[in-house]
Amino acid sequence: METKGTFRYANVIVDISHEKVDRTFQYKIKDELTDSLYVGAKVYIPFGKGNKLITGYVMELTNEAEFDVSRMKEIDSLVPEGVSIESRWIRIAAMLKRNYGSTMIAAMKTVLPVKSTVKQVEKRTVHLNIDKETALALCRQFEEKHQKAKARLLAELIDVEILPYAIVTGKLNVSTQTIRGMVQKGIILVETESTYRNPVRFSSQTGIRKVLNEEQQQIFDSFRQDYERGERKKYLLHGVTGSGKTEVYIEMIDYVLSQGKEAIVLIPEIALTYQTLKRFYERFGDVVSVMNSKLSQGERYDQFERAKNGEVKIMIGPRSALFTPFPDLGIIIIDEEHEGSYKSETMPKFHARTVAEWIAKDTNSTLVLGSATPSLESFYEVEQGNMELFRLKSRYAKSNLPDVEVVDLRQELREGNRSIFSRSLAEKIQERLNRKEQIMLFLNRRGYAGFVSCRSCGFVMKCPHCDVSLTDHRNGKLICHYCGYERNQVNLCPECGSKYILGFKAGTQQIEEALHKQFPTAKILRMDADTTKKKDDYERILSAFTNEEADILVGTQMIVKGHDFKKVTLMGILAADLSLSANDYRAAEKTFQLLTQAAGRAGRSGLPGDVVIQTYQPDHYAIQYAKNQDYDGFYQEEIAYRKLAGYPPKAHLLAVLFQAKREEEVKAYAEEMAMRVKKEALSRREQHILVIGPAKATIGKINDVYRQMLYIKNEDYNQLVEMKDLIETTAWQMQTKYSTVTTFFDFDPMSGY
């Protein structure tokens, strides 16, 4: 969609707020304004019966009149002032609509917070009411008496003196009864105030800083020199797990704030832990705010207003924090930039990394991406010369990376071990229990979608055309959801003839039960979707494990994201090849990232760490490179495959999903649309546009809605955008014939359908 040009009409919004954004008013464009209007422009418009001149924003430019042109008013003039924050929102929304496929209204609602007044609420804080020497002595007494909650609270208050009540009861896991008892003895005070303060608040003690090591200092100096020269670059900070990337971010932010600018820090929701936030608060105090899914709509709006008014200088949060309306943004940092959660799963399906680039360019800001396992997209950008690479090659506190052992489960089976735990892992678990050290067991179920593999030789049933695993359907068929290839289910392994060829069914609950049986004295915590249903379950379990209330933590991928447990010296990775065998071209990349991140949880505080990776495919390159923490080796092998197969980042992929209540209708619609798209692709023969499908989606029916897929591949992203535009136009033309079919677009999809 063009944002300037010879358009006759403009859709204008008067009140830019989430709940009123779908109320647009159409105006005619005067000839003298034709070349100067653009999406996001602030204009004077005659409004209401008295035609009073008010301000509004151009939301869309079009040549289609929505009502009688003779009754339509004209835009009076452009508002002669600089680019406003509101204009930025609208421009970004227009780019979302154009590049990801959605309505302008849906795009606007993505970038705007819900407008809602936050009622004043009572904020309670817990204060230390005795001097620190007395508190230290008392803390030792509590520890000797095994009164862990009291000791934990006191130790924290000795450090920071004031804590929010919600942090004490939630993340520190101290009961209200314990707090009441300590108040009665005069050890602590609980104060209540009505306030609009941050959703999280720590002590006013700020300015705590760690000394950067040589590697970190060199990176910061290079960034500062670029910034001083006015160069706003894109950087990829690639550091091994535990190398101190956060300390580098903090120094960069400190410098940018000293220049009168503001900062956005994106962190995956799952990594927004108490410890992570505390480090930013200790350094910067109340100019930090946080955005997360636990905030009410009103609280989210309040944080955005505080940022707009200059009360907040640093916003930390997941994807939505990207749209913080800072008046003078200076830096955007995306930590763990490889994480799939940065891709929106609702329309418009944007990637935060791409939108951050737009915003950085629009605001003349620096963009920093950080990860121990960068996405192939980001490293490819480095390779193409579009991004500068910084490396942290060693751990911050000089602690060594853990020793990694790969266990071949096929050999374990041949030697009679049918347990979930290999003999090596079981021995190491017992050693840690004897030494009072902690253990994490990670069940890699990410991307699991009913693939079939042989327990005897490790063979996976794959599509001969797409090099992705076939999906096991209940009708006895194995189907590829990229090209539609199918074959009958097998009873014997085609590779070795074994009868042990079947789907994978083990879950965290079975692992917990097996642990209780094999290690009856061990205290075990389990973290998965079932145990984290309530609001504070996630933090409660992590806090309990941090406070050494359990020996073993069993969980899915949520336990491997950025956590720092000082007593963990063993990480066991169970079924490493589950994600490896998912019907997804990113399967090897996701597996390498997960295994590397998981391995990084062990041995982070000076104690030697061990990692055991259990797999049926020990020789797979993703597992071998993860074992050696060799990102460069993995990248070179994986990018060669992507180039050969024409997958991102070498080429781009557009997934188009069609849905309808009637199966015949959605199938006929998908076929008719595919014919139109293939005809257009044929007319652009020199562009080498590849159209695949239509075919039934991985899950062919959800809630009685039938689903069909179409995939389009091309090296040029803009070609796919043009094909998206064609589908949108064709859908408009076909709406009378197919009134109930809906169409959704996903560029470079991060998950299957």
Side-chain angles (χ1 to χ4, degrees), residues 674 677-679 681 689-694 710-713 723:
V677 171
K678 286 174 182 175
K679 185 179 176 183
I689 298 168
L690 179 63
V691 183
I692 306 163
L710 187 67
Y711 290 98
I712 308 172
K713 275 187 188 180
M723 298 306 278

Side-chain angles (χ1 to χ4, degrees), residues 241 372-373 401-406 444 573 576 580 588-600 611 613 618-635:
T241 53
T373 53
L401 287 166
D403 292 327
V404 182
E405 176 189 2
V406 175
N444 180 17
I573 300 170
L580 196 58
E589 180 184 9
K590 289 177 180 177
T591 302
F592 172 80
Q593 288 167 344
L594 273 172
L595 299 189
T596 305
Q597 294 282 343
V611 179
I613 299 175
D619 299 322
H620 193 286
Y621 65 94
I623 289 172
Q624 285 300 318
Y625 286 125
K627 174 191 173 184
N628 298 321
Q629 301 265 311
D630 181 3
Y631 178 85
D632 290 315
F634 172 78
Y635 173 81

Side-chain angles (χ1 to χ4, degrees), residues 455-472:
R455 297 295 183 272
S456 185
C457 73
F459 177 77
V460 175
M461 297 295 295
K462 286 195 170 186
C463 172
H465 309 295
C466 303
D467 197 31
V468 296
S469 64
L470 297 172
T471 299
D472 187 7

Side-chain angles (χ1 to χ4, degrees), residues 80-191:
E81 60 180 50
V83 177
S84 67
I85 295 170
E86 288 79 7
S87 294
R88 187 202 308 165
W89 282 335
I90 298 168
R91 282 197 306 277
I92 296 301
M95 292 177 80
L96 285 172
K97 175 187 182 295
R98 167 68 174 154
N99 287 279
Y100 291 105
S102 80
T103 64
M104 187 63 177
I105 288 167
M108 282 294 289
K109 289 190 172 182
T110 299
V111 305
L112 294 174
V114 178
K115 192 170 187 177
S116 176
T117 305
V118 186
K119 294 177 182 177
Q120 280 198 317
V121 290
E122 287 190 337
K123 294 277 184 176
R124 289 190 290 174
T125 49
V126 180
H127 301 245
L128 190 63
N129 195 36
I130 54 178
D131 63 75
K132 287 192 178 181
E133 277 187 31
T134 308
L136 280 166
L138 206 51
C139 190
R140 284 193 288 271
Q141 285 180 32
F142 290 147
E143 285 172 350
E144 287 167 7
K145 293 176 181 177
H146 302 291
Q147 295 174 331
K148 290 187 175 181
K150 289 181 180 179
R152 191 160 60 245
L153 174 54
L154 210 48
E156 201 65 43
L157 284 172
I158 289 166
D159 185 28
V160 297
E161 293 186 12
I162 304 171
L163 283 168
Y165 194 92
I167 293 288
V168 174
T169 56
K171 296 181 173 74
L172 292 182
N173 204 16
V174 180
S175 70
T176 53
Q177 190 177 350
T178 301
I179 295 168
R180 203 178 300 120
M182 293 175 75
V183 168
Q184 287 169 357
K185 290 180 180 176
I187 301 168
I188 60 173
L189 284 174
V190 175
E191 291 187 354

Side-chain angles (χ1 to χ4, degrees), residues 14 26 267 394 495 530 622:
V14 175
Q26 195 166 67
I267 298 175
S394 56
E495 190 76 8
D530 292 329

Side-chain angles (χ1 to χ4, degrees), residues 110 112-114 116 118 199 269 290-306 315 318-321:
T110 299
L112 294 174
V114 178
S116 176
V118 186
E269 176 86 30
V290 62
M291 189 68 58
N292 61 46
S293 60
K294 292 176 184 175
L295 300 186
S296 68
Q297 288 183 341
E299 284 175 317
R300 288 162 72 88
Y301 181 78
D302 197 41
Q303 299 320 302
F304 274 26
E305 284 298 295
R306 293 178 69 234
M315 184 64 78
R319 218 169 42 231
S320 58

